[in-house]
Amino acid sequence: MKIVVVGGTGLIGSQVCALLREGGHEAVPAAPSTGVDTLTGEGLAAALKGADVVVDVSNTPSFDAEPALDFFTRSARNLFAAEKEAGVRHHVALSIVGVDEVPGYGYYEAKVAQENAVRGSGVPYSIVRAAQFFEFVAPVMDMSTDGAEVRLPSTRLRPIASADVAAAVAEAAQGEPSNGIRTIAGPEVHGLDRLGEITLAVKPDGRTVVTDETAGLFAGMPDVLTGDESTHLATTRYEEWLKRN
């Protein structure tokens, strides 16, 4: 199949492209750097010509509510118009565990709007909701560092390796549309503060973790970021991944 991967040059997209090529498919990365801009529609028609499947793992450059909502809804309009014109038969979208259970958080509300656009597009679809990536822990720690202290809440997460997310997305792209949601997460539940402690135990840098329920992006989040009994659990553990990376 010809599979166009929107956001195909990023962390998840580049791995998805590699997996699809290993599976014998033509994987085409679509991003501004390859001449495709979903916000303006530039390059979409040419990229999607002859495409069987479109995978959307793109992300907004801003986590603020208004620009995130504009990015996801405008990109969706342009993308689905081009998909219908090209006769695309399957759209795969990457979303977030618990995304529809965090009221008042603008970025998550923007992702919900994107999911709604997928469902209402008329194009057969599969949505993969993933827990937070292992790769996200270190940047969150850096944003929450004050001197030698890393201030983190105890918000519970079930993080997952980006490689495991890419594998699930690539699997969905090679299968039939589910017209539903598959949720994936890592094998272990940790508080974000505990993830910080594990990180610094494996890679000490002089900082220490202080539990602060008011600090950072995940402060005050409801306990919905770990999935439920239907969540598919990957096998890669965070501490093992840290030691390898």
Side-chain angles (χ1 to χ4, degrees), residues 36-145:
V36 180
D37 189 339
T38 55
L39 273 179
T40 64
E42 179 185 357
L44 269 177
L48 267 59
K49 186 176 182 181
D52 300 287
V53 181
V54 169
V55 173
D56 186 3
V57 294
S58 62
N59 203 1
T60 170
S62 172
F63 287 93
D64 293 335
E66 191 171 329
L69 181 62
D70 176 65
F71 176 88
F72 286 123
T73 54
R74 189 144 50 105
S75 292
R77 283 196 300 271
N78 291 331
L79 194 51
F80 287 119
E83 288 183 26
K84 289 176 182 176
E85 186 68 25
V88 170
R89 60 180 182 82
H90 187 188
H91 179 97
V92 179
L94 178 61
S95 192
I96 308 168
V97 166
V99 71
D100 54 351
E101 300 178 78
V102 189
Y105 186 26
Y107 177 76
Y108 275 37
E109 290 178 344
K111 288 293 290 184
V112 169
Q114 181 192 33
E115 285 192 3
N116 289 337
V118 170
R119 293 187 190 94
S121 68
V123 177
Y125 69 90
S126 301
I127 295 173
V128 178
R129 285 185 179 175
Q132 284 68 35
F133 308 155
F134 289 166
E135 288 85 349
F136 194 45
V137 175
V140 167
M141 291 174 63
D142 292 343
M143 287 187 287
S144 301
T145 294

Side-chain angles (χ1 to χ4, degrees), residues 2 4 7 22-23 31 45 59 71 82 91 126 140 167 184 189 194 219 244:
K2 177 180 177 181
V4 176
E22 287 175 12
N59 203 1
F71 176 88
H91 179 97
S126 301
V140 167
I184 58 172
V189 175
R194 178 59 185 148
R244 292 199 306 267

Side-chain angles (χ1 to χ4, degrees), residues 12 132-135 159-166 186 234 236 241 244:
I12 300 296
Q132 284 68 35
F133 308 155
F134 289 166
E135 288 85 349
I160 184 171
S162 68
D164 292 331
V165 176
T236 309
W241 176 87
R244 292 199 306 267

Side-chain angles (χ1 to χ4, degrees), residues 177-199:
S178 68
N179 293 315
I181 295 170
R182 185 188 190 207
T183 303
I184 58 172
E188 299 173 309
V189 175
H190 289 297
L192 183 55
D193 52 352
R194 178 59 185 148
L195 287 168
E197 291 171 349
I198 293 170
T199 303

